[in-house]
Amino acid sequence: MPDLRGRIPAHVGVIMDGNGRWAELRGLPRVEGHRRGAERAREIIDLSIELGVECLTLFAFSTENWQRPREEVSMLMKLLELYLKNEFENLAKKDIRFRAIGEIWRLPENIQALVRETENRTAKNKGLLLVSALSYSGRNEIIRAVRKVMNSGSAPGELKEEDFNSYLDTAGFPQPDLIIRTSGERRLSNFMLWQAAYAELYFTDTLWPDFDREELLLAISDFQGRERRFGKISSGTNAS
Ligand code: FPP
């Protein structure tokens, strides 16, 4: 097991990819991969709490995922519904604050209601901030934020980067320090495009349903070995 002595990332974002391939490799329906993926999400949430991660964002459904076959979309929605219904007690017990980002209004009405209820009923919790990106894409979030800025009537020249953060769905959340993507794909695919500016990216070939506690520890250990300069030079480097 890796030895984690360094800094724990305040915000970890996860692109949970490879559920479909995991199932297909085993001759199972894709939904089995999603079901197993949801179980892994539970495990990763628990370990994040144990490690003291402040905020964990799980990319559960992208704007582009609406284009999948209708049956798969409806199975994913069903899974989300079950997850929210079954997990409610656990979220409360574990002091988790739940928030959803994305175009929540595009989700089926019963799920929108569950999402809002879960957000409201966990709003005062003080533990892990668990963010679920649902019907989410980074460009769409930025466009919606730009519209809000335009409607605010503020003078264009006055807009600062910090102000812009407050128009995003992630307003008030820490910026992601570490973004993990599973299943061998090495791109962000529209995830947290604004927020990822200085995030460390970690890619693994492991498919999401196989991403266990050990895999998260490896990702964080890798993160701890990175030098984060935020555009500056190393503290030990002579500038001349
Ligand atoms: C990507 O795998 C995964 C998704 C589109 C859905 C992620 C959803 C879950 C893990 C279940 C719900 C989780 C929560 C926390 C409610 P893919 O289908 O794109 O896999 P593939 O690239 O192998 O086809």
Side-chain angles (χ1 to χ4, degrees):
M1 179 179 294
D3 184 10
L4 295 186
R5 292 205 193 148
R7 199 168 75 84
I8 297 296
H11 183 174
V12 178
V14 189
I15 304 173
M16 309 182 286
D17 201 3
N19 294 348
R21 274 165 286 165
W22 183 91
E24 281 157 18
L25 278 169
R26 288 162 179 77
L28 298 168
R30 289 174 61 84
V31 64
E32 270 314 311
H34 295 312
R35 228 174 255 141
R36 177 68 177 260
E39 282 168 25
R40 282 300 183 203
R42 253 180 230 121
E43 211 173 305
I44 293 310
I45 292 167
D46 286 346
L47 180 55
S48 301
I49 295 173
E50 286 169 39
L51 293 173
V53 171
E54 276 174 48
C55 175
L56 175 70
T57 299
L58 300 177
F59 199 2
F61 194 84
S62 74
T63 313
E64 292 75 21
N65 287 156
W66 289 114
Q67 289 154 31
R68 292 193 174 197
R70 206 151 46 100
E71 305 78 59
E72 184 167 346
V73 171
S74 82
M75 284 312 297
L76 276 167
M77 291 300 140
K78 192 78 209 147
L79 204 58
L80 187 61
E81 181 186 352
L82 279 176
Y83 181 86
L84 288 170
K85 280 188 176 155
N86 294 340
E87 279 308 290
F88 183 75
E89 293 299 320
N90 272 334
L91 296 180
K93 228 185 284 163
K94 294 173 186 166
D95 203 22
I96 293 173
R97 180 156 66 102
F98 175 84
R99 285 286 304 276
I101 58 171
E103 293 188 303
I104 305 307
W105 54 266
R106 291 185 67 184
L107 299 171
E109 269 176 34
N110 63 325
I111 301 200
Q112 287 183 47
L114 266 172
V115 164
R116 293 298 171 221
E117 192 189 345
T118 310
E119 284 185 325
N120 291 337
R121 291 174 62 185
T122 62
K124 293 204 167 64
N125 292 350
K126 297 278 182 286
L128 178 77
L129 170 60
L130 173 63
V131 182
S132 195
L134 296 171
S135 189
Y136 173 88
S137 89
R139 285 187 179 177
N140 170 274
E141 179 192 29
I142 291 170
I143 283 287
R144 286 187 286 106
V146 170
R147 289 191 194 124
K148 288 182 217 163
V149 174
M150 291 168 86
N151 284 330
S152 75
S154 57
E158 303 280 291
L159 184 69
K160 311 256 185 328
E161 281 189 20
E162 311 80 77
D163 304 332
F164 193 70
N165 280 325
S166 69
Y167 289 95
L168 293 165
D169 294 350
T170 53
F173 303 172
Q175 298 287 306
D177 300 299
L178 170 64
I179 293 180
I180 298 170
R181 181 168 190 164
T182 57
S183 90
E185 311 292 354
R186 284 161 169 75
R187 53 180 176 269
L188 283 176
S189 296
N190 231 336
F191 181 63
M192 294 212 159
L193 295 183
W194 171 274
Q195 300 87 336
Y198 287 104
E200 296 295 336
L201 307 180
Y202 179 86
F203 300 108
T204 170
D205 289 339
T206 303
L207 303 175
W208 176 252
D210 289 329
F211 191 90
D212 58 13
R213 293 168 62 98
E214 184 74 9
E215 296 271 352
L216 178 61
L217 292 172
L218 280 174
I220 295 183
S221 161
D222 184 87
F223 166 84
Q224 292 182 336
R226 312 261 184 111
E227 188 193 13
R228 304 186 79 203
R229 294 193 299 275
F230 300 97
K232 301 177 189 122
I233 57 173
S234 303
S235 46
T237 309
N238 189 337
S240 57

